[in-house]
Amino acid sequence: MTATAHRPSFIQRMYHWTMEKSAHPHAEFWLALVSFVEASFFPIPPHPMLGLMCLANPKKAVRYALICTIASVMGGILGYGIGFFLYESVGLALLGALGLTDAFPPAACYLREFGAEIILIKGATPIPFKLLTITAGFIHMNFWTFLWASLASRAFSFMLVGILFRLFGAPIKAFIDKYLVWVASAFLVAVVAGFLVIGALSGDGKTKEADKCSGATLESIGLDRK
């Protein structure tokens, strides 16, 4: 096997670079930077870096999580601006480079139909937050709705990790590695189920809208842009 076959990919190199910054003397700055850029264009999420820093210093875990939350929301504002003002010139290229072009039309449709609910639910999951921020700007989603929903979802995503490390210290790492995604997913499934039940009882047709959005295309959302 040639040496080329063992050459790490761009994503792998970025991941290793991010992990190295967790031990940097100015690690908090790098954590903030990674959280900021990930919300608009950087491919590596800050969660692994946050976990390593919390593991090294559990007493500062909540501080680290707060840094992630604030920086990610600020980066989300940048992503929103890209979608709002620069979608054709910058947003399309970014989505293509990140492999999110096909995911964009359904995301735009879902955001139009469900608004803050999608930010709250998907912003707290491994689904790329940058997809939501750029899309929200593209559809001209109400900025203040976008802002508070982003803050809530990012706080859930990061502060849960920080609080667990602060309360239980390093031993919580094994639990987080094994169960955190499942616990968070179960909570979010319950939230989604609640929205569906409310929608069904009120007869607002959200289930039909969700079915429509699953087949959305770039042409359909482009022609219907607000």
Side-chain angles (χ1 to χ4, degrees), residues 118-139:
I118 296 299
I119 299 287
L120 287 170
I121 296 169
K122 293 193 175 183
T125 68
I127 294 174
F129 188 51
K130 61 188 73 63
L131 173 62
L132 299 181
T133 64
I134 295 174
T135 303
F138 172 81
I139 67 167

Side-chain angles (χ1 to χ4, degrees), residues 67-213:
I67 289 172
C68 272
T69 300
I70 295 173
S72 183
V73 172
M74 296 300 293
I77 293 174
L78 173 61
Y80 182 96
I82 291 173
F84 195 102
F85 298 107
L86 303 171
Y87 175 74
E88 287 78 10
S89 59
V90 177
L92 272 174
L94 276 178
L95 292 172
L98 295 166
L100 298 174
T101 301
D102 292 338
F104 174 74
C109 182
Y110 281 120
L111 276 173
R112 280 181 177 169
E113 300 300 334
F114 299 96
E117 296 173 15
I118 296 299
I119 299 287
L120 287 170
I121 296 169
K122 293 193 175 183
T125 68
I127 294 174
F129 188 51
K130 61 188 73 63
L131 173 62
L132 299 181
T133 64
I134 295 174
T135 303
F138 172 81
I139 67 167
H140 292 193
M141 180 180 184
N142 179 274
F143 176 75
W144 298 111
T145 300
F146 166 78
L147 189 60
W148 73 255
S150 296
L151 181 60
S153 66
R154 295 284 82 184
F156 175 83
S157 181
F158 298 125
M159 295 304 291
L160 181 60
V161 174
I163 291 171
L164 288 174
F165 267 106
R166 182 64 183 87
L167 292 177
F168 302 104
I172 198 64
K173 184 178 186 299
F175 173 85
I176 289 177
D177 290 343
K178 191 172 184 179
Y179 298 113
L180 184 62
V181 172
W182 292 102
V183 172
S185 298
F187 171 79
L188 294 170
V189 167
V191 173
V192 174
F195 283 136
L196 291 177
V197 170
I198 293 172
L201 292 176
S202 64
D204 61 5
K206 285 191 174 184
T207 301
K208 292 182 179 179
E209 296 297 344
D211 291 339
K212 179 189 75 173
C213 288

Side-chain angles (χ1 to χ4, degrees), residues 12-91:
Q12 289 173 322
R13 294 197 301 273
M14 288 294 97
Y15 178 82
H16 293 315
W17 177 86
T18 302
M19 292 299 95
E20 289 173 359
K21 297 305 179 184
S22 66
H24 193 276
H26 301 295
E28 289 187 3
F29 165 79
W30 290 109
L31 179 64
L33 181 62
V34 170
S35 300
F36 178 84
V37 298
E38 186 274 336
S40 52
F41 62 86
F42 192 64
I44 307 299
H47 299 78
M49 186 177 181
L50 172 63
L52 284 179
M53 291 175 63
C54 290
L55 180 63
N57 195 345
K59 291 184 178 181
K60 289 188 175 182
V62 173
R63 174 187 173 91
Y64 297 150
L66 185 60
I67 289 172
C68 272
T69 300
I70 295 173
S72 183
V73 172
M74 296 300 293
I77 293 174
L78 173 61
Y80 182 96
I82 291 173
F84 195 102
F85 298 107
L86 303 171
Y87 175 74
E88 287 78 10
S89 59
V90 177

